[in-house]
Amino acid sequence: MDYSNEVIRAIKNRRSAAKLSPDKPVGREMIEAVLDAAIWAPNHHLTEPWRFVVITGDERKRLGDAIADAISSTPSDPPMPPEKVERERTRPLTAPVVIAAICSPSQDKRAVAQEELVAGGGALQNMLLAAHSIGLGTKLKTGPYSYSQVIRGFLNMRDSESLISFVYLGFPEGEAAPGKRAGLVGKVDWRS
Ligand SMILES: Cc1cc2nc3c(=O)[nH]c(=O)nc-3n(C[C@H](O)[C@H](O)[C@H](O)COP(=O)(O)O)c2cc1C
């Protein structure tokens, strides 16, 4: 039996984009379609523990400045060379849209922090698949600076919140690297 179908093919064929067209705008309806898919991820007690910051236009420059500040204030050994810091400053301009996907755990007494984060991961995957299904490409970006106070401040994050990832969104350009997975061998304990 071949269980390959549209959903499974989309899951397997989605790849992180090599490059995104920086100047080809993505309409608001496409962005909303991606976010609307995100929120259908499973989440325990229906806490819906997520929120999104959609960064476009000149706000991408302000994000880049925050990233550069964050790198300068995040100790690293060896320190990041200045030219690399400048590359990170301009990185948000490499996509027309950058979405910060944030896990925002519920105050509900039944909510379990780990489950809230897992739900956030599901929302992230939904975003990537929805984008892929409507012809958009995505690239994820984190790194030590993304968890810094500077970035938390930029995104107005409460103490309980955590960044799931920055999602760079746009029309894909060039060939993505081929998908690579080690397969199921050694990952499954079959019991009966
Ligand atoms: C939470 C999270 C953060 C990530 N951050 C980065 C990143 O900072 N830089 C990067 O190149 N890829 C990042 N990735 C993407 C992975 O590198 C990528 O998914 C992996 O190489 C597999 O490639 P594929 O997406 O084409 O299957 C991140 C993935 C996740 C889930």
Side-chain angles (χ1 to χ4, degrees):
M1 180 75 179
D2 178 7
Y3 285 108
S4 183
N5 59 35
E6 211 180 334
V7 174
I8 293 174
R9 275 194 299 276
I11 289 169
K12 293 187 177 179
N13 291 339
R14 176 214 58 83
R15 291 279 70 76
S16 296
K19 191 174 179 309
L20 300 164
S21 305
D23 303 318
K24 191 168 170 192
V26 175
R28 192 175 172 120
E29 284 180 6
M30 291 187 104
I31 301 172
E32 280 177 348
V34 168
L35 296 177
D36 188 49
I39 63 172
W40 285 95
N43 60 103
H44 202 176
H45 308 298
L46 286 186
T47 56
E48 305 193 34
W50 35 62
R51 67 181 184 88
F52 307 93
V53 181
V54 180
I55 300 163
T56 59
D58 277 355
E59 188 66 3
R60 294 171 306 159
K61 289 189 191 151
R62 287 184 277 279
L63 171 61
D65 289 341
I67 288 172
D69 283 357
I71 293 170
S72 310
S73 58
T74 307
S76 73
D77 187 19
M80 191 182 283
E83 61 276 13
K84 180 127 197 290
V85 178
E86 290 314 303
R87 207 159 62 235
E88 294 300 328
R89 188 192 296 280
T90 54
R91 189 187 288 277
L93 300 174
T94 62
V97 185
V98 182
I99 301 176
I102 294 170
C103 177
S104 193
S106 167
Q107 303 298 309
D108 187 320
K109 281 201 289 294
R110 297 168 303 169
V112 177
Q114 180 180 334
E115 294 184 354
E116 301 292 79
L117 206 49
V118 168
L124 180 72
Q125 170 75 335
N126 279 2
M127 290 172 74
L128 305 190
L129 288 176
H132 173 68
S133 74
I134 59 175
L136 293 173
T138 51
K139 288 174 90 150
L140 298 177
K141 187 72 190 105
T142 51
Y145 68 78
S146 47
Y147 310 113
S148 67
Q149 283 308 326
V150 178
I151 295 298
R152 295 183 68 85
F154 181 81
L155 297 171
N156 296 323
M157 288 169 67
R158 294 195 302 272
D159 287 349
S160 61
E161 292 182 324
S162 49
L163 180 72
I164 300 167
S165 188
F166 286 110
V167 182
Y168 283 57
L169 182 72
F171 289 92
E173 274 183 14
E175 276 292 297
K180 221 169 44 178
R181 295 295 188 270
L184 285 176
V185 176
K187 309 278 187 186
V188 186
D189 185 3
W190 295 92
R191 297 184 175 198
S192 58

Coordinates of all heavy atoms in Angstrom, one line a residue, residues 14-16 124 140-143 147 164-165 177 179-181, ligand 1:
R14 N 8.7 19.9 1.6 CA 9.0 21.2 2.1 C 10.5 21.3 2.4 O 11.0 20.4 3.1 CB 8.2 21.5 3.4 CG 8.5 22.9 4.0 CD 8.4 22.9 5.5 NE 9.2 21.9 6.1 CZ 10.5 22.0 6.4 NH1 11.2 23.1 6.1 NH2 11.2 21.0 7.0
R15 N 11.1 22.3 2.0 CA 12.5 22.5 2.4 C 12.8 23.9 2.8 O 12.1 24.8 2.3 CB 13.5 22.2 1.2 CG 13.6 20.8 0.7 CD 14.6 20.0 1.5 NE 14.1 19.6 2.8 CZ 13.2 18.7 3.1 NH1 12.6 18.0 2.1 NH2 12.8 18.5 4.3
S16 N 13.7 24.2 3.7 CA 14.1 25.5 4.0 C 14.6 26.2 2.7 O 15.4 25.5 2.0 CB 15.2 25.5 5.0 OG 14.7 25.0 6.2
L124 N 4.5 26.2 14.5 CA 5.6 26.5 13.6 C 5.6 25.6 12.4 O 5.7 26.1 11.2 CB 6.9 26.4 14.4 CG 8.2 26.7 13.6 CD1 8.3 28.2 13.3 CD2 9.4 26.2 14.3
L140 N 14.1 29.4 8.8 CA 14.1 29.7 10.2 C 15.4 30.3 10.7 O 16.4 29.9 10.1 CB 13.8 28.4 11.0 CG 12.4 27.7 10.6 CD1 12.3 26.4 11.4 CD2 11.3 28.6 10.9
K141 N 15.3 31.2 11.6 CA 16.5 31.8 12.1 C 16.4 32.0 13.6 O 15.5 32.6 14.1 CB 16.8 33.1 11.4 CG 18.1 33.7 11.8 CD 19.3 32.9 11.1 CE 20.6 33.4 11.6 NZ 21.2 32.5 12.6
T142 N 17.4 31.4 14.3 CA 17.5 31.7 15.8 C 18.9 32.0 16.1 O 19.4 33.0 15.5 CB 17.0 30.4 16.6 OG1 17.7 29.3 16.1 CG2 15.5 30.2 16.5
G143 N 19.6 31.4 17.0 CA 20.9 31.7 17.4 C 20.9 32.4 18.8 O 19.8 32.9 19.2
Y147 N 17.6 34.9 22.0 CA 17.0 34.7 23.3 C 17.4 35.8 24.3 O 17.2 35.7 25.5 CB 17.4 33.3 23.9 CG 17.2 32.2 22.8 CD1 18.2 31.5 22.2 CD2 15.9 31.9 22.4 CE1 18.0 30.6 21.3 CE2 15.6 31.0 21.5 CZ 16.7 30.3 20.9 OH 16.4 29.3 19.9
I164 N 9.9 31.0 19.7 CA 10.0 29.7 19.0 C 11.1 29.8 17.9 O 12.0 29.0 17.8 CB 8.7 29.2 18.5 CG1 7.6 29.1 19.6 CG2 8.8 27.9 17.8 CD1 6.2 29.0 19.2
S165 N 10.9 30.8 17.0 CA 11.8 31.0 16.0 C 11.4 32.3 15.2 O 10.3 32.7 15.2 CB 11.9 29.9 15.0 OG 13.0 30.1 14.0
A177 N 18.6 23.2 -0.7 CA 19.5 22.0 -0.5 C 18.6 20.8 -0.3 O 17.4 20.9 0.2 CB 20.3 22.2 0.8
G179 N 16.7 17.5 0.9 CA 16.3 17.1 2.2 C 17.2 15.9 2.7 O 17.6 15.1 1.9
K180 N 17.4 15.9 4.0 CA 18.3 14.9 4.5 C 17.7 14.4 5.8 O 17.5 15.2 6.7 CB 19.7 15.5 4.7 CG 20.8 14.5 4.3 CD 22.2 15.2 4.3 CE 22.5 16.1 5.5 NZ 23.8 16.7 5.4
R181 N 17.4 13.2 6.0 CA 17.0 12.6 7.3 C 17.6 11.2 7.4 O 17.8 10.5 6.4 CB 15.4 12.5 7.4 CG 14.7 13.8 7.3 CD 15.0 14.7 8.5 NE 14.1 15.9 8.6 CZ 14.4 17.1 8.0 NH1 15.5 17.2 7.3 NH2 13.6 18.1 8.1
Ligands
LIG1 C1 13.6 26.1 16.2 C2 14.4 26.1 15.0 C3 15.4 27.0 14.8 C4 16.2 27.0 13.6 N1 17.2 27.9 13.5 C5 17.9 27.9 12.4 C6 19.0 28.9 12.2 O1 19.2 29.7 13.0 N2 19.7 28.8 11.0 C7 19.5 27.8 10.1 O2 20.2 27.8 9.1 N3 18.5 26.9 10.2 C8 17.7 27.0 11.3 N4 16.7 26.0 11.5 C9 16.3 25.2 10.3 C10 17.0 23.9 10.2 O3 18.4 24.1 10.0 C11 16.4 23.1 9.0 O4 15.1 22.9 9.3 C12 17.2 21.8 8.8 O5 18.5 22.1 8.3 C13 16.5 20.9 7.9 O6 16.3 21.4 6.6 P1 14.8 21.5 6.0 O7 14.0 22.5 6.7 O8 15.0 21.8 4.6 O9 14.2 20.1 6.1 C14 16.0 26.0 12.7 C15 15.0 25.0 12.9 C16 14.2 25.0 14.0 C17 13.2 24.0 14.3

